[in-house]
Short mmCIF file of all heavy atoms in Angstrom, two decimals:
data_model
loop_
_atom_site.label_atom_id
_atom_site.label_comp_id
_atom_site.label_asym_id
_atom_site.label_seq_id
_atom_site.Cartn_x
_atom_site.Cartn_y
_atom_site.Cartn_z
N PHE A 21 3.46 7.84 -5.06
CA PHE A 21 3.28 6.50 -4.51
C PHE A 21 2.68 5.58 -5.57
O PHE A 21 1.88 6.02 -6.39
CB PHE A 21 2.34 6.52 -3.31
CG PHE A 21 2.87 7.19 -2.07
CD1 PHE A 21 4.05 7.95 -2.10
CD2 PHE A 21 2.20 7.06 -0.86
CE1 PHE A 21 4.52 8.57 -0.96
CE2 PHE A 21 2.67 7.67 0.29
CZ PHE A 21 3.83 8.44 0.23
N THR A 22 3.06 4.31 -5.50
CA THR A 22 2.52 3.31 -6.41
C THR A 22 2.14 2.07 -5.62
O THR A 22 2.97 1.51 -4.90
CB THR A 22 3.53 2.92 -7.49
OG1 THR A 22 3.93 4.09 -8.22
CG2 THR A 22 2.92 1.90 -8.46
N ILE A 23 0.90 1.65 -5.77
CA ILE A 23 0.44 0.43 -5.12
C ILE A 23 0.45 -0.71 -6.14
O ILE A 23 0.17 -0.51 -7.32
CB ILE A 23 -0.97 0.60 -4.51
CG1 ILE A 23 -1.34 -0.61 -3.66
CG2 ILE A 23 -2.01 0.88 -5.59
CD1 ILE A 23 -2.64 -0.43 -2.86
N SER A 24 0.80 -1.89 -5.65
CA SER A 24 0.79 -3.07 -6.51
C SER A 24 0.49 -4.29 -5.64
O SER A 24 0.46 -4.19 -4.41
CB SER A 24 2.12 -3.24 -7.24
OG SER A 24 3.19 -3.41 -6.32
N ARG A 25 0.27 -5.41 -6.30
CA ARG A 25 0.01 -6.64 -5.54
C ARG A 25 0.56 -7.83 -6.30
O ARG A 25 0.61 -7.82 -7.53
CB ARG A 25 -1.48 -6.81 -5.25
CG ARG A 25 -2.36 -6.95 -6.47
CD ARG A 25 -3.83 -6.89 -6.07
NE ARG A 25 -4.24 -8.05 -5.31
CZ ARG A 25 -5.36 -8.11 -4.59
NH1 ARG A 25 -6.16 -7.06 -4.51
NH2 ARG A 25 -5.67 -9.20 -3.94
N ASP A 26 0.94 -8.85 -5.55
CA ASP A 26 1.38 -10.13 -6.10
C ASP A 26 0.44 -11.17 -5.51
O ASP A 26 0.56 -11.55 -4.34
CB ASP A 26 2.83 -10.40 -5.70
CG ASP A 26 3.39 -11.67 -6.32
OD1 ASP A 26 2.61 -12.61 -6.56
OD2 ASP A 26 4.61 -11.72 -6.54
N ASN A 27 -0.52 -11.60 -6.31
CA ASN A 27 -1.54 -12.51 -5.80
C ASN A 27 -0.95 -13.86 -5.39
O ASN A 27 -1.43 -14.49 -4.44
CB ASN A 27 -2.65 -12.70 -6.83
CG ASN A 27 -3.49 -11.46 -6.99
OD1 ASN A 27 -3.65 -10.67 -6.07
ND2 ASN A 27 -4.02 -11.25 -8.19
N ALA A 28 0.07 -14.31 -6.10
CA ALA A 28 0.68 -15.60 -5.76
C ALA A 28 1.31 -15.54 -4.37
O ALA A 28 1.30 -16.53 -3.63
CB ALA A 28 1.72 -15.98 -6.80
N LYS A 29 1.84 -14.39 -4.02
CA LYS A 29 2.47 -14.22 -2.71
C LYS A 29 1.50 -13.64 -1.68
O LYS A 29 1.86 -13.45 -0.53
CB LYS A 29 3.69 -13.32 -2.82
CG LYS A 29 4.81 -13.90 -3.66
CD LYS A 29 6.01 -12.96 -3.69
CE LYS A 29 7.15 -13.56 -4.49
NZ LYS A 29 8.33 -12.65 -4.56
N LYS A 30 0.29 -13.31 -2.11
CA LYS A 30 -0.72 -12.71 -1.23
C LYS A 30 -0.13 -11.46 -0.55
O LYS A 30 -0.29 -11.26 0.65
CB LYS A 30 -1.19 -13.71 -0.18
CG LYS A 30 -1.84 -14.95 -0.75
CD LYS A 30 -2.27 -15.91 0.35
CE LYS A 30 -2.84 -17.19 -0.23
NZ LYS A 30 -3.22 -18.15 0.85
N THR A 31 0.52 -10.67 -1.32
CA THR A 31 1.24 -9.51 -0.78
C THR A 31 0.90 -8.26 -1.58
O THR A 31 0.80 -8.30 -2.81
CB THR A 31 2.75 -9.75 -0.81
OG1 THR A 31 3.06 -10.90 -0.01
CG2 THR A 31 3.51 -8.55 -0.26
N SER A 32 0.74 -7.17 -0.86
CA SER A 32 0.55 -5.86 -1.46
C SER A 32 1.79 -5.02 -1.17
O SER A 32 2.41 -5.17 -0.11
CB SER A 32 -0.69 -5.18 -0.87
OG SER A 32 -0.76 -3.82 -1.26
N TYR A 33 2.12 -4.13 -2.10
CA TYR A 33 3.28 -3.27 -1.94
C TYR A 33 2.87 -1.81 -2.10
O TYR A 33 1.97 -1.49 -2.88
CB TYR A 33 4.35 -3.60 -2.98
CG TYR A 33 4.79 -5.04 -2.97
CD1 TYR A 33 4.24 -5.96 -3.86
CD2 TYR A 33 5.75 -5.48 -2.06
CE1 TYR A 33 4.64 -7.29 -3.84
CE2 TYR A 33 6.15 -6.81 -2.04
CZ TYR A 33 5.59 -7.71 -2.93
OH TYR A 33 5.99 -9.02 -2.90
N LEU A 34 3.55 -0.95 -1.39
CA LEU A 34 3.36 0.49 -1.56
C LEU A 34 4.74 1.09 -1.75
O LEU A 34 5.51 1.21 -0.80
CB LEU A 34 2.66 1.10 -0.35
CG LEU A 34 2.30 2.58 -0.51
CD1 LEU A 34 1.21 2.76 -1.57
CD2 LEU A 34 1.83 3.18 0.82
N GLN A 35 5.04 1.45 -2.99
CA GLN A 35 6.31 2.11 -3.30
C GLN A 35 6.12 3.60 -3.09
O GLN A 35 5.25 4.21 -3.73
CB GLN A 35 6.73 1.83 -4.74
CG GLN A 35 7.99 2.53 -5.17
CD GLN A 35 9.23 2.03 -4.44
OE1 GLN A 35 9.41 0.83 -4.26
NE2 GLN A 35 10.10 2.95 -4.02
N MET A 36 6.93 4.17 -2.22
CA MET A 36 6.79 5.58 -1.88
C MET A 36 8.05 6.33 -2.28
O MET A 36 9.14 6.04 -1.76
CB MET A 36 6.55 5.73 -0.37
CG MET A 36 5.36 4.92 0.13
SD MET A 36 4.98 5.22 1.87
CE MET A 36 6.46 4.60 2.66
N ASN A 37 7.91 7.23 -3.23
CA ASN A 37 9.03 8.04 -3.72
C ASN A 37 8.80 9.50 -3.38
O ASN A 37 7.69 9.91 -3.05
CB ASN A 37 9.17 7.87 -5.22
CG ASN A 37 9.46 6.45 -5.64
OD1 ASN A 37 10.11 5.69 -4.92
ND2 ASN A 37 8.98 6.08 -6.82
N SER A 38 9.87 10.28 -3.49
CA SER A 38 9.80 11.72 -3.22
C SER A 38 9.09 12.00 -1.90
O SER A 38 8.19 12.85 -1.82
CB SER A 38 9.07 12.43 -4.37
OG SER A 38 9.73 12.20 -5.60
N LEU A 39 9.50 11.29 -0.88
CA LEU A 39 8.83 11.41 0.41
C LEU A 39 9.00 12.79 1.01
O LEU A 39 10.05 13.45 0.84
CB LEU A 39 9.34 10.34 1.36
CG LEU A 39 8.77 8.94 1.12
CD1 LEU A 39 9.63 7.88 1.75
CD2 LEU A 39 7.35 8.86 1.63
N LYS A 40 7.96 13.23 1.71
CA LYS A 40 7.93 14.54 2.36
C LYS A 40 7.74 14.36 3.86
O LYS A 40 7.18 13.34 4.29
CB LYS A 40 6.77 15.37 1.80
CG LYS A 40 6.77 15.51 0.29
CD LYS A 40 5.51 16.23 -0.17
CE LYS A 40 5.47 16.37 -1.69
NZ LYS A 40 4.24 17.06 -2.15
N PRO A 41 8.14 15.34 4.65
CA PRO A 41 7.92 15.22 6.10
C PRO A 41 6.45 14.99 6.45
O PRO A 41 6.15 14.28 7.42
CB PRO A 41 8.42 16.57 6.63
CG PRO A 41 9.48 16.97 5.66
CD PRO A 41 8.98 16.50 4.32
N GLU A 42 5.55 15.54 5.67
CA GLU A 42 4.12 15.34 5.95
C GLU A 42 3.63 13.94 5.65
O GLU A 42 2.47 13.61 5.94
CB GLU A 42 3.27 16.38 5.19
CG GLU A 42 3.56 16.47 3.71
CD GLU A 42 4.52 17.60 3.38
OE1 GLU A 42 5.55 17.75 4.10
OE2 GLU A 42 4.27 18.31 2.39
N ASP A 43 4.48 13.10 5.07
CA ASP A 43 4.13 11.69 4.89
C ASP A 43 4.39 10.87 6.15
O ASP A 43 4.05 9.68 6.21
CB ASP A 43 4.93 11.07 3.73
CG ASP A 43 4.58 11.67 2.39
OD1 ASP A 43 3.38 11.88 2.13
OD2 ASP A 43 5.51 11.94 1.61
N THR A 44 4.99 11.49 7.14
CA THR A 44 5.28 10.79 8.39
C THR A 44 3.99 10.33 9.07
O THR A 44 3.08 11.12 9.29
CB THR A 44 6.06 11.72 9.35
OG1 THR A 44 7.34 12.00 8.78
CG2 THR A 44 6.24 11.06 10.71
N ALA A 45 3.92 9.04 9.34
CA ALA A 45 2.72 8.46 9.94
C ALA A 45 2.96 6.97 10.18
O ALA A 45 3.95 6.40 9.72
CB ALA A 45 1.52 8.63 9.01
N VAL A 46 2.02 6.36 10.86
CA VAL A 46 1.95 4.90 10.91
C VAL A 46 1.11 4.47 9.71
O VAL A 46 -0.01 4.96 9.52
CB VAL A 46 1.33 4.39 12.22
CG1 VAL A 46 1.21 2.87 12.18
CG2 VAL A 46 2.16 4.84 13.41
N TYR A 47 1.65 3.57 8.93
CA TYR A 47 0.98 3.09 7.73
C TYR A 47 0.36 1.72 8.00
O TYR A 47 1.04 0.82 8.51
CB TYR A 47 1.96 3.02 6.57
CG TYR A 47 2.24 4.37 5.97
CD1 TYR A 47 2.99 5.32 6.66
CD2 TYR A 47 1.75 4.73 4.72
CE1 TYR A 47 3.23 6.57 6.14
CE2 TYR A 47 2.00 5.98 4.17
CZ TYR A 47 2.74 6.90 4.89
OH TYR A 47 2.98 8.15 4.36
N TYR A 48 -0.90 1.59 7.63
CA TYR A 48 -1.65 0.35 7.85
C TYR A 48 -2.12 -0.22 6.51
O TYR A 48 -2.57 0.52 5.65
CB TYR A 48 -2.88 0.61 8.70
CG TYR A 48 -2.61 1.14 10.07
CD1 TYR A 48 -2.53 2.51 10.31
CD2 TYR A 48 -2.45 0.27 11.15
CE1 TYR A 48 -2.29 3.00 11.58
CE2 TYR A 48 -2.22 0.76 12.43
CZ TYR A 48 -2.13 2.12 12.63
OH TYR A 48 -1.90 2.60 13.90
N CYS A 49 -2.03 -1.53 6.38
CA CYS A 49 -2.68 -2.15 5.24
C CYS A 49 -4.00 -2.76 5.71
O CYS A 49 -4.18 -3.06 6.89
CB CYS A 49 -1.80 -3.19 4.57
SG CYS A 49 -1.54 -4.71 5.49
N ALA A 50 -4.89 -2.91 4.76
CA ALA A 50 -6.23 -3.40 5.06
C ALA A 50 -6.75 -4.21 3.90
O ALA A 50 -6.33 -4.02 2.75
CB ALA A 50 -7.16 -2.23 5.35
N VAL A 51 -7.66 -5.11 4.19
CA VAL A 51 -8.27 -5.95 3.15
C VAL A 51 -9.79 -5.88 3.25
O VAL A 51 -10.36 -5.98 4.34
CB VAL A 51 -7.82 -7.42 3.28
CG1 VAL A 51 -8.72 -8.34 2.45
CG2 VAL A 51 -6.38 -7.58 2.81
N ARG A 52 -10.39 -5.72 2.12
CA ARG A 52 -11.84 -5.85 1.99
C ARG A 52 -12.10 -7.22 1.39
O ARG A 52 -11.55 -7.56 0.36
CB ARG A 52 -12.36 -4.76 1.05
CG ARG A 52 -13.73 -5.04 0.46
CD ARG A 52 -14.83 -4.68 1.43
NE ARG A 52 -16.12 -4.77 0.75
CZ ARG A 52 -17.18 -4.12 1.15
NH1 ARG A 52 -17.13 -3.32 2.21
NH2 ARG A 52 -18.32 -4.25 0.49
N ALA A 53 -12.97 -8.02 2.03
CA ALA A 53 -13.13 -9.42 1.65
C ALA A 53 -14.12 -9.65 0.53
O ALA A 53 -14.44 -10.79 0.21
CB ALA A 53 -13.54 -10.24 2.87
N SER A 54 -14.64 -8.60 -0.06
CA SER A 54 -15.59 -8.74 -1.15
C SER A 54 -15.46 -7.55 -2.08
O SER A 54 -14.69 -6.62 -1.82
CB SER A 54 -17.01 -8.87 -0.61
OG SER A 54 -17.33 -7.74 0.17
N ARG A 55 -16.23 -7.58 -3.17
CA ARG A 55 -16.14 -6.53 -4.16
C ARG A 55 -16.46 -5.17 -3.54
O ARG A 55 -17.27 -5.05 -2.64
CB ARG A 55 -17.15 -6.81 -5.28
CG ARG A 55 -16.81 -6.14 -6.60
CD ARG A 55 -15.58 -6.74 -7.21
NE ARG A 55 -15.35 -6.27 -8.58
CZ ARG A 55 -14.27 -6.53 -9.28
NH1 ARG A 55 -13.31 -7.26 -8.76
NH2 ARG A 55 -14.13 -6.08 -10.50
N LEU A 56 -15.76 -4.14 -4.04
CA LEU A 56 -15.92 -2.80 -3.49
C LEU A 56 -15.85 -1.79 -4.62
O LEU A 56 -14.96 -1.85 -5.47
CB LEU A 56 -14.81 -2.53 -2.47
CG LEU A 56 -14.83 -1.20 -1.74
CD1 LEU A 56 -16.07 -1.08 -0.86
CD2 LEU A 56 -13.56 -1.04 -0.90
#
């Protein structure tokens, strides 16, 4: 998996390759509003 972001579009991406049956799930994105 590779995570990336486009700040101009305010969008995050999760590229998922070589997927396995155990990757089956509901995927949620989340934002932390300050430094972490």
Side-chain angles (χ1 to χ4, degrees):
F21 291 11
T22 302
I23 188 171
S24 61
R25 62 189 291 164
D26 184 330
N27 290 331
K29 296 182 178 179
K30 299 179 184 178
T31 300
S32 170
Y33 303 97
L34 186 68
Q35 177 67 44
M36 305 186 296
N37 299 328
S38 302
L39 283 161
K40 305 174 181 179
E42 52 263 44
D43 294 318
T44 294
V46 177
Y47 283 70
Y48 298 90
C49 71
V51 166
R52 160 81 171 204
S54 58
R55 203 69 171 172
L56 182 65

